[in-house]
Amino acid sequence: MRKNALSDEILMAVEKPARYLGNEYNAYHKDFDEYPVKAVFCFPDVYEIGTANLGMQIIYEQFNENPEAMCDRVYSPWFDLDKVLREKKIPLFAVETQRPVRDFDLLLITLSYEMCYTNVLQILDLSQIPLLSKDRTEEDPIIFGGGACAYNPEPIADFFDVFYIGESETQYDQVIEVIKKAKKQGLTRLQTLEALADIEGLYIPAFYEAFYKEDGTIGSFLPVNPHAKEKVKKQAADMRKDLPYPHRPLVPYERGMMDRASLEVMRGCIRGCRFCQAGMIYRPQRNRDLDFLKQAAKDMLEATGYEEINLGSLSSSDYSELKDLLDFLVPYCEERKINIGIPSLRIDAFSLDVMSRIQDIKKTSLTFAPEAGSQRLRDIINKGLTEEEILEGARQAFSGGWNKVKLYFMLGQPMETDDDVSAIPVLADKIARVYYETVPKEMRQGKCQIQASTSFFVPKPMTPFQWAAMQSSDEFIRKAKLVKEGILSQLNRKSLIYHYHDDHQTELEGLLARGDRRVGKTILRAYEKGCIYDAWNEHLKYELWLQAMEETGVTFDFYNYREREEDEIFPWDFIDIGVTKGFMLKEWRKAKQGLTTPNCREHCSGCGAACYPGGVCYENKD
Amino acid sequence: MKIRIKFQKQGNLKFIGHLDVMRTFQKLNRRAGIDIRYSGGFSPHQQMSFATPLGLGLTSSGEYVDFDMNSVPDKKTFLQMLNDVNVEEMRLLDACLLPDDAKNAMSLLAAADYTLTFREGHKIEEGFYEAFEAFLSKDSIPAVKKTKTGFREVDLKQQIRRAERRPEGLFLQLDTGSVSNCKPEFVMETFYETWGKDYDPFMFMINRDELYGEEEGKLKKLIEYGSDF
Ligand code: SF4
């Protein structure tokens, strides 16, 4: 039996030792010495969150299916173990082999949200790997970053050797090939990075240099190595192909964030919500094959014994074969007493019928994401959802037996006025009124419950709102108070609940999402001051972040509060996501005029993503 | 139809708590596709009951769980169906078919066997076994046990059924169950206190070897309450 990296004394002393054991059912446990390319995959947050991540499961599968590679895993040690590792100078280890992370050839870090950046530094630090790419030697692993945050990698460019821009399925086999050859031929680290730069979609930050204008904006951003391309092209997989998928996902012993199988029915989204980064970077919308999904669902449930399967996508109602998939899945799961979860369904007669079959309607709530309270603002953000649709959906749901509704909104979107903000409680109240009108007194089980939540808006890179100014913390809080007061003055206020998301976290998220290379120093300084687990509100040390900003000369004024000129060069402009900057600019201008844009199925707007094969752009065309 | 299963919990599974073991069984049973009975209602549960939780940090080669089944194949097939989709560290060792009126494992429970071995890097202290023998030969061994509501005085002498020095380490047979319950860690802690030495909870690795019920003053292994199938 392999020996644990930690003694029993340590394991018994830390919370949830199973986080560090790597002994889950379905773990690959490939032998370290047997394969030429040794990779370790990292999710820079705590184990329960990391194991639930589908992207991680796909890469883990893809690497381990490759006959030349083995792939282990590592997650952020929780505070208790972090302390022990530092005190006892135990190098951070991969969970399956229990070997130090620094012994591997590749460390692949997935970046799902900006607030994990200090955890990336924690991982490198505890692994005893130099934090800065330029300080690493031939002995150190090559550090890869990927995932949603890689679409603006600049704030963390100093910490990574390579970024993989886009979906993992297309290029990692080639990466494995290059690493294998490089090791065999004894290439230097620089030569290996140059060979990697030749692969489309890979970005080596050290091969580029940014020059700044006097006003602080970027003057130019240019390759300084002959292997570096001027533009790095996003990778999008052709979903019609038989792609790697975790047919036998890991089964953690401890209750995770998601104790269930996840079935990704499609990628991308046909709706062009102007605030939504995922909606742009994953364009074009691509369906997975129905038979593939049926098989994957069966395989996963049989191989894990999970009691729940979750259909994942940005907007599942837009999956073209949803009805057929559910006609298969609902009876299959009913027979086996398996629950089905389908978040992100649009509320209509079809989805209500489906939900009444798969859920306990007394317990579940209905979810709408109007994102804005007024129709005016919903048009500006291009959220194709009208008040009539919301109220009609609610009416049908209430007659069907539901009495709980959740509403999601964002505060601080561009062009938002106080009237738009005040429309939020009014909409919530209208829904409550529909309940009392629709459901006769004798049928009611108490009051209905309308829960409105607001988050604060971050204008994200690679969206039509990338030019917009982000609002300040004070403004956010003022607006949240406006909503709160509004709720309290409604007729049905006793049926309404209101929550809002933390403003400090959002401000920092804005900085980290929109920043350039100069923000890297701030992140490093914040980490040195003791910031980790910033994504956990209770662990965010906002004051330390403010100090780090001050000491490194980085301000919210420049990065967050400033509306950017139409011709400004963005730090992320060198990444080509298919969707063109020209299209996004057109969308930004249309937003200012309150004009909407139809979704991809209604009418193609020629955004540029048609350069990728096999998606909605070619529906009904072949 | 009730089936009793004997299983092991070895290696790193000693770090997995009882609730997680229960959840692991639920998934194992689904993977194996055995015909276990479910409760009614909107979120049906598998009908399963465990003899007694094992303390965190202990291994075991004698854990028990009772299943309520709709139907079962023969024992060999049944065990194989489960072990084929199981982790090695939680292997099922044996099973028996219980009579319809059988009491469940938890209510039968009377005693458990434990083997304590010295952990790597921890040496047997001089005079350990002699001192332990002296400890046991007293007429009564009063000890104060922490309970949920406060403290309670117990006589360990009444709860330790057997203690032997064996080649692999120290063997203890202790009262277990709802009437009288005694844990090996508590015995060792009390012993070290009496001996006047510091107790290091990591000195021993503890394995539970077997669980028993009691019939007419005689111990009976839980697996012996049913028949082959
Ligand atoms: S090219 Fe047209 S159909 Fe394709 S993603 Fe862009 S707008 Fe949609």
Side-chain angles (χ1 to χ4, degrees):
Chain A
M1 214 185 70
R2 85 209 146 91
K3 214 170 147 333
N4 289 336
L6 302 173
S7 67
D8 284 7
E9 280 90 335
I10 297 174
L11 284 165
M12 287 295 286
V14 298
E15 206 183 300
K16 302 188 181 170
R19 288 168 170 168
Y20 313 111
L21 297 172
N23 60 343
E24 304 89 341
Y25 186 68
N26 286 338
Y28 262 92
H29 282 294
K30 273 183 141 181
D31 190 82
F32 184 84
D33 296 312
E34 229 174 273
Y35 300 89
V37 178
K38 306 156 205 312
V40 52
F41 184 83
C42 167
F43 193 96
D45 205 322
V46 77
Y47 172 87
E48 294 80 50
I49 296 177
T51 45
N53 182 269
L54 181 66
M56 177 238 129
Q57 294 178 25
I58 289 177
I59 297 186
Y60 177 67
E61 181 76 19
Q62 189 182 358
F63 266 78
N64 280 314
E65 281 298 297
N66 189 304
E68 307 291 346
M70 59 84 62
C71 185
D72 203 334
R73 296 168 282 135
V74 63
Y75 310 92
S76 302
W78 191 241
F79 290 96
D80 51 3
L81 183 62
D82 177 290
K83 192 159 166 258
V84 174
L85 296 180
R86 285 175 205 268
E87 274 171 13
K88 298 195 187 295
K89 301 200 165 46
I90 300 171
L92 183 62
F93 54 92
V95 293
E96 289 181 26
T97 57
Q98 299 275 312
R99 297 181 78 111
V101 166
R102 55 162 195 239
D103 288 358
F104 288 75
D105 301 319
L106 305 175
L107 170 61
L108 315 162
I109 304 179
T110 203
L111 304 161
S112 292
Y113 30 84
E114 293 83 2
M115 300 309 281
C116 75
Y117 291 169
T118 54
N119 278 51
V120 169
L121 295 178
Q122 177 211 24
I123 294 274
L124 294 172
D125 201 4
L126 293 178
S127 300
Q128 303 170 359
I129 295 169
L131 300 184
L132 298 177
S133 169
K134 66 176 173 56
D135 297 336
R136 290 183 198 131
T137 68
E138 302 292 327
E139 308 307 315
D140 293 306
I142 294 180
I143 316 295
F144 272 68
C149 298
Y151 291 90
N152 178 18
E154 290 306 279
I156 43 174
D158 292 347
F159 315 132
F160 283 85
D161 303 314
V162 184
F163 284 97
Y164 184 118
I165 314 294
E167 298 164 6
S168 66
E169 286 97 340
T170 65
Q171 304 294 41
Y172 269 129
D173 286 336
Q174 223 178 309
V175 170
I176 292 170
E177 197 51 42
V178 166
I179 298 295
K180 187 186 140 196
K181 272 204 198 127
K183 283 181 77 175
K184 212 163 146 196
Q185 298 167 355
L187 298 191
T188 63
R189 193 175 180 86
L190 178 64
Q191 287 168 326
T192 308
L193 290 175
E194 284 177 343
L196 289 169
D198 291 334
I199 301 176
E200 187 176 84
L202 266 53
Y203 163 55
I204 320 291
F207 294 172
Y208 296 78
E209 218 169 306
F211 300 93
Y212 301 95
K213 293 197 240 176
E214 226 163 273
D215 65 5
T217 60
I218 294 175
S220 69
F221 183 85
L222 297 168
V224 291
N225 180 297
H227 292 267
K229 299 174 195 71
E230 210 167 304
K231 286 252 173 192
V232 179
K233 190 161 168 63
K234 165 190 96 173
Q235 297 302 298
D238 185 344
M239 306 296 279
R240 296 167 304 181
K241 290 193 185 148
D242 187 21
L243 300 173
Y245 200 78
H247 290 266
R248 302 182 57 83
L250 293 171
V251 186
Y253 287 102
E254 289 176 359
R255 185 179 288 278
M257 288 287 287
M258 283 195 263
D259 201 18
R260 60 198 179 198
S262 24
L263 191 64
E264 184 195 36
V265 296
M266 63 180 212
R267 220 169 262 175
C269 182
I270 60 168
R271 322 240 150 220
C273 300
R274 291 176 179 136
F275 56 83
C276 180
Q277 190 189 39
M280 292 294 147
I281 60 181
Y282 298 120
R283 275 193 177 208
Q285 185 271 358
R286 288 149 291 154
N287 293 322
R288 279 199 196 258
D289 175 65
L290 178 62
D291 290 323
F292 172 90
L293 290 175
K294 287 184 188 171
Q295 191 61 44
K298 277 204 294 204
D299 288 349
M300 285 193 293
L301 291 168
E302 276 168 25
T304 58
Y306 276 136
E307 290 165 34
E308 188 173 337
I309 184 163
N310 195 54
L311 267 50
S313 80
L314 294 170
S315 168
S316 298
S317 299
D318 296 328
Y319 173 57
S320 308
E321 293 173 289
L322 185 65
K323 193 180 166 302
D324 293 328
L325 179 63
L326 290 173
D327 281 346
F328 160 78
L329 212 52
V330 172
Y332 178 89
C333 290
E334 240 161 22
E335 198 181 310
R336 292 164 180 78
K337 304 181 176 64
I338 293 167
N339 296 316
I340 307 176
I342 321 180
S344 70
L345 270 188
R346 288 172 91 79
I347 307 300
D348 55 23
F350 168 73
S351 61
L352 288 172
D353 175 56
V354 170
M355 286 194 281
S356 66
R357 286 169 69 193
I358 63 174
Q359 296 174 344
D360 186 350
I361 52 178
K362 284 200 274 314
K363 288 197 194 125
T364 50
S365 47
L366 218 58
T367 304
F368 290 99
E371 308 293 0
S374 70
Q375 194 57 46
R376 186 191 84 88
L377 194 55
R378 277 197 297 274
D379 286 346
I380 289 175
I381 65 178
N382 205 40
K383 181 87 203 177
L385 184 64
T386 65
E387 182 166 308
E388 291 72 58
E389 283 169 324
I390 296 169
L391 296 181
E392 175 55 21
R395 195 190 57 74
Q396 290 180 17
F398 293 145
S399 352
W402 274 272
N403 64 359
K404 291 193 196 78
V405 174
K406 280 188 187 156
L407 299 168
Y408 291 101
F409 299 97
M410 274 192 278
L411 291 176
Q413 309 220 55
M415 277 86 72
E416 182 183 58
T417 65
D418 283 359
D419 287 344
D420 298 315
V421 175
S422 303
I424 291 174
V426 174
L427 180 61
D429 189 65
K430 277 186 189 160
I431 295 174
R433 286 179 196 213
V434 170
Y435 178 80
Y436 295 110
E437 279 159 27
T438 316
V439 186
K441 248 203 180 98
E442 59 281 9
M443 305 277 286
R444 289 179 205 157
Q445 289 171 335
K447 283 199 269 291
C448 66
Q449 203 186 85
I450 316 295
Q451 188 186 312
S453 312
T454 59
S455 59
F456 298 119
F457 174 62
V458 178
K460 286 270 171 114
M462 303 292 186
T463 67
F465 285 173
Q466 59 188 344
W467 286 273
M470 186 173 154
Q471 296 186 351
S472 67
S473 219
D474 293 344
E475 188 63 3
F476 281 147
I477 296 301
R478 188 187 69 82
K479 288 183 172 175
K481 289 215 172 101
L482 210 56
V483 178
K484 205 169 177 179
E485 282 160 22
I487 293 271
L488 292 174
S489 64
Q490 298 302 314
L491 176 68
N492 295 298
R493 57 186 168 273
K494 294 219 167 100
S495 306
L496 311 180
I497 305 173
Y498 174 56
H499 293 295
Y500 60 91
H501 189 264
D502 183 71
D503 55 313
H504 287 161
Q505 217 166 26
T506 313
E507 279 216 297
L508 291 171
E509 186 189 324
L511 174 71
L512 300 182
R514 297 155 61 85
D516 53 36
R517 281 194 181 188
R518 294 167 293 187
V519 174
K521 292 193 178 53
T522 316
I523 299 168
L524 183 59
R525 188 65 60 90
Y527 172 72
E528 287 165 351
K529 287 177 177 294
C531 293
I532 47 167
Y533 284 105
D534 301 309
W536 295 60
N537 210 359
E538 65 272 37
H539 296 299
L540 177 69
K541 301 186 181 80
Y542 184 66
E543 284 306 319
L544 295 184
W545 270 101
L546 292 186
Q547 287 172 19
M549 286 173 66
E550 168 115 38
E551 289 165 23
T552 51
V554 157
T555 64
F556 286 134
D557 283 326
F558 181 76
Y559 288 101
N560 285 13
Y561 304 155
R562 181 171 64 86
E563 180 170 332
R564 303 189 181 195
E565 296 298 328
E566 288 191 352
D567 61 358
E568 178 167 337
I569 298 176
F570 295 131
W572 51 88
D573 273 355
F574 70 97
I575 294 173
D576 170 12
I577 61 163
V579 180
T580 61
K581 197 174 180 184
F583 171 79
M584 289 192 274
L585 188 58
K586 220 164 37 188
E587 284 292 292
W588 174 228
R589 290 179 184 151
K590 278 174 86 176
K592 285 182 168 170
Q593 297 165 311
L595 298 174
T596 60
T597 297
N599 73 47
C600 294
R601 285 221 173 90
E602 289 164 350
H603 176 80
C604 167
S605 307
C607 73
C611 59
Y612 297 100
V616 63
C617 326
Y618 297 97
E619 257 172 37
N620 314 322
K621 277 190 187 156
D622 36 37
Chain B
M1 166 187 316
K2 278 197 187 127
I3 298 289
R4 176 161 298 156
I5 289 156
K6 180 178 180 181
F7 66 98
Q8 64 174 13
K9 192 176 172 234
Q10 291 293 322
N12 276 336
L13 283 198
K14 67 172 174 245
F15 300 112
I16 310 295
H18 184 61
L19 277 174
D20 292 324
V21 169
M22 287 165 58
R23 290 175 353 92
T24 301
F25 259 98
Q26 285 161 10
K27 296 201 185 80
L28 170 65
N29 295 341
R30 283 176 174 280
R31 293 199 291 268
I34 59 166
D35 190 13
I36 192 165
R37 205 184 287 271
Y38 280 81
S39 67
F42 218 100
S43 48
H45 287 292
Q46 297 178 4
Q47 300 295 292
M48 236 186 329
S49 90
F50 286 80
T52 180
L54 182 70
L56 217 56
L58 275 64
T59 55
S60 175
S61 32
E63 292 304 285
Y64 284 91
V65 56
D66 295 346
F67 284 2
D68 198 350
M69 304 289 298
N70 292 313
S71 66
V72 270
D74 63 277
K75 180 169 110 179
K76 195 167 166 258
T77 313
F78 178 73
L79 289 177
Q80 191 170 355
M81 278 169 84
L82 287 154
N83 279 333
D84 278 353
V85 290
N86 200 356
V87 287
E88 182 58 38
E89 295 165 323
M90 211 177 79
R91 197 128 295 258
L92 273 58
L93 305 170
D94 201 356
C96 67
L97 175 68
L98 297 173
D100 285 341
D101 59 352
K103 286 202 205 159
N104 67 23
M106 196 196 304
S107 56
L108 285 171
L109 206 57
D113 288 347
Y114 295 94
T115 302
L116 284 66
T117 49
F118 282 90
R119 193 183 294 272
E120 215 184 301
H122 294 266
K123 272 209 227 74
I124 306 188
E125 285 154 295
E126 202 152 322
F128 170 80
Y129 283 110
E130 291 73 18
F132 195 70
E133 212 167 294
F135 170 69
L136 288 177
S137 62
K138 292 198 256 182
D139 291 336
S140 77
I141 311 173
V144 180
K145 208 161 141 180
K146 234 210 251 145
T147 65
K148 269 181 215 134
T149 46
F151 295 91
R152 196 160 55 92
E153 178 109 4
V154 291
D155 181 6
L156 277 185
K157 179 82 181 177
Q158 303 297 318
Q159 298 189 311
I160 303 175
R161 293 173 176 241
R162 270 166 73 187
E164 282 164 30
R165 177 179 181 169
R166 291 190 176 172
E168 61 274 21
L170 178 66
F171 170 82
L172 293 175
Q173 189 171 69
L174 307 174
D175 274 3
T176 303
S178 50
V179 184
S180 168
N181 195 48
C182 178
K183 288 186 175 154
E185 303 96 307
F186 185 61
V187 173
M188 297 324 290
E189 207 184 307
T190 313
F191 162 62
Y192 271 90
E193 216 169 276
T194 322
W195 196 18
K197 297 207 178 196
D198 282 343
Y199 174 61
D200 167 9
F202 287 97
M203 178 151 348
F204 302 98
M205 292 195 293
I206 306 175
N207 185 66
R208 182 144 80 190
D209 307 326
E210 188 56 81
L211 291 174
Y212 301 91
E214 193 160 25
E215 248 175 28
E216 292 157 8
K218 277 182 79 181
L219 291 186
K220 189 170 164 182
K221 292 181 183 170
L222 290 184
I223 198 75
E224 289 167 350
Y225 281 81
S227 52
D228 248 346
F229 62 98

